[in-house]
Amino acid sequence: MTFGAFIRAARKRLQEEAAFYSPEECAALAKRMLLAVCAGCRQSMQYALPANDVQLVLAENEEIPSPVEEECEKALDRLCKGEPLEYVLGHAEFCGYEFRVNASTLIPRPETEELVSIVGEHLRTVITEASSGDCGINGGAAPVVLDVCTGSGCIAWSLLLDYVNGLNGAASPEQVRFYGCDISEDALAVAASQFQQSPSCTDVQRPEFFKCDVLAPDAAEVIHHRIGDIKNVPLIIVCNPPYVCEKERALMRSNVLDWEPSSALFVPDASPLIFYEAVADITLKLAQACGSTKPALFFEINENLGPRTVGMLKSKGFTNARCLKDLFGKDRFVETVRK
């Protein structure tokens, strides 16, 4: 079978068996799947390089090698059952990098790339301010970045890689410490496995991932014990927690509901801010251990709960909390630096 014939056949089968995809999505899925399989299981090519460094152009009339066609048919079977393409391939593209994912982790979304951009800009500002200090980065106190509810680790890793790639010899990578925590041991195993073959990610530079239930009473103590002495250290906390209300299940596709971990998606209708409240309280407790340092807090949020999230933070003393919109004009992020 030729590449062109396979894509047309795959598109037709997806339209018939996976009705939740639009015709346009079926065509895109078929081509992406074929590209990835032909590239030789790209999920094994874990390097800290932009994903588009590996390119493959398919010729319409070129015959697909038999082993490749067999792998494509297996992948297509899984797609037709509703399994997300990212799980079928074993990786997802995020912030220009390829991340390992499986059914224990959420598939990274484009909106979260915007969150990484917002936090990265703040990190650069903190580093610039620290450069005129008395210790750490060029004399200033090196910040600590903590990714709460880290999942696949895509936020922590992307912030680290963007930081390392932007150094240009200005400072050594280990001067900013990156951490990620999650309640799921399976997700933490995935996060820790990212970029294991990357020559640019040494043991010193890699984020440190650890288990923590942020809803537990001792969560702040667990985190403080793990990240160590942070007195007078700039603290940056980023969190993309479960925020989809149970009542919103009916609005979601079956390829999400049936495959992605519900514990990383849903919160009770009666307490939709449960994770945000917990992380805000953790931040306040950690701030006490940081002396006069002003912790920065960044959330991805439910688009319907922007004002409510900001109000909750202000009630806890984060007086300059504000809501930011995503590229589609929806309330999607909340940021605050407690003074």
Side-chain angles (χ1 to χ4, degrees):
M1 182 180 292
T2 65
F3 287 120
F6 182 89
I7 291 176
R8 288 189 292 272
R11 179 180 58 198
K12 183 175 184 295
R13 187 178 166 194
L14 282 167
Q15 287 181 245
E16 294 173 349
E17 300 182 33
F20 39 79
Y21 291 126
S22 69
E24 294 76 17
E25 287 175 313
C26 290
L29 282 171
K31 187 171 183 179
R32 285 178 59 199
M33 181 266 291
L34 184 56
L35 278 166
V37 173
C38 289
C41 299
R42 287 175 61 183
Q43 66 267 34
S44 66
M45 302 172 63
Q46 284 288 292
Y47 295 94
L49 296 171
N52 59 11
D53 275 9
V54 180
Q55 295 289 345
L56 182 65
V57 178
L58 303 181
E60 173 80 10
N61 297 320
E62 183 179 346
E63 290 290 328
I64 305 176
S66 295
V68 175
E69 186 174 348
E70 292 175 7
E71 290 301 314
C72 288
E73 290 290 354
K74 293 178 183 177
L76 182 58
D77 288 341
R78 295 170 65 180
L79 282 178
C80 288
K81 294 177 182 178
E83 186 173 358
L85 178 63
E86 290 80 2
Y87 291 163
V88 173
L89 300 178
H91 69 264
E93 294 187 7
F94 181 80
C95 288
Y97 305 101
E98 282 189 356
F99 287 90
R100 288 192 174 100
V101 293
N102 60 32
S104 66
T105 67
L106 284 183
I107 298 169
R109 266 59 174 188
E111 294 87 346
T112 309
E113 292 182 325
E114 296 181 58
L115 177 63
V116 169
S117 178
I118 293 168
V119 178
E121 182 62 32
H122 178 76
L123 176 59
R124 287 188 288 273
T125 299
V126 170
I127 291 172
T128 299
E129 293 176 349
S131 65
S132 61
D134 299 322
C135 59
I137 295 180
N138 294 336
V144 167
V145 180
L146 172 64
D147 176 21
V148 180
C149 302
T150 191
S152 66
C154 63
I155 293 177
W157 271 110
S158 295
L159 289 169
L160 180 146
L161 292 172
D162 287 349
Y163 165 63
V164 171
N165 292 335
L167 282 175
N168 296 321
S172 58
E174 63 269 19
Q175 288 181 309
V176 177
R177 292 183 288 152
F178 294 85
Y179 296 88
C181 65
D182 203 286
I183 192 175
S184 168
E185 293 183 355
D186 290 338
L188 289 169
V190 173
S193 75
Q194 307 289 0
F195 308 109
Q196 288 182 332
Q197 301 177 38
S198 172
S200 66
C201 296
T202 66
D203 290 338
V204 174
Q205 297 167 347
R206 298 176 67 84
E208 182 178 334
F209 297 100
F210 61 95
K211 184 176 182 179
C212 179
D213 178 2
V214 297
L215 300 182
D218 64 343
E221 288 74 18
V222 170
I223 292 173
H224 190 195
H225 175 75
R226 196 58 180 257
I227 65 180
D229 184 12
I230 52 175
K231 189 173 181 62
N232 295 322
V233 172
L235 179 62
I236 300 172
I237 296 178
V238 55
C239 182
N240 179 20
Y243 62 65
V244 181
C245 294
E246 286 287 346
K247 63 185 178 182
E248 295 175 302
R249 278 182 182 267
L251 304 176
M252 302 180 69
R253 287 179 168 184
S254 59
N255 60 320
V256 175
L257 293 175
D258 295 344
W259 294 95
E260 298 195 58
S262 60
S263 60
L265 286 169
F266 296 104
V267 288
D269 293 338
S271 51
L273 302 185
I274 184 171
F275 284 94
Y276 301 106
E277 292 172 345
V279 174
D281 290 338
I282 289 170
T283 302
L284 294 174
K285 292 179 181 179
L286 290 176
Q288 294 178 344
C290 292
S292 61
T293 298
K294 296 173 289 186
L297 184 56
F298 299 86
F299 287 135
E300 182 172 325
I301 64 167
N302 186 315
E303 65 187 79
N304 299 311
L305 298 173
R308 187 170 171 181
T309 306
V310 169
M312 177 274 295
L313 287 170
K314 288 185 175 181
S315 72
K316 291 181 179 291
F318 295 90
T319 55
N320 60 346
R322 62 172 183 156
C323 194
L324 304 176
K325 297 185 182 298
D326 62 19
L327 292 177
F328 300 100
K330 298 178 180 180
D331 289 345
R332 184 62 65 192
F333 316 105
V334 166
E335 68 172 12
T336 181
V337 177
R338 185 171 182 267
K339 297 184 178 181

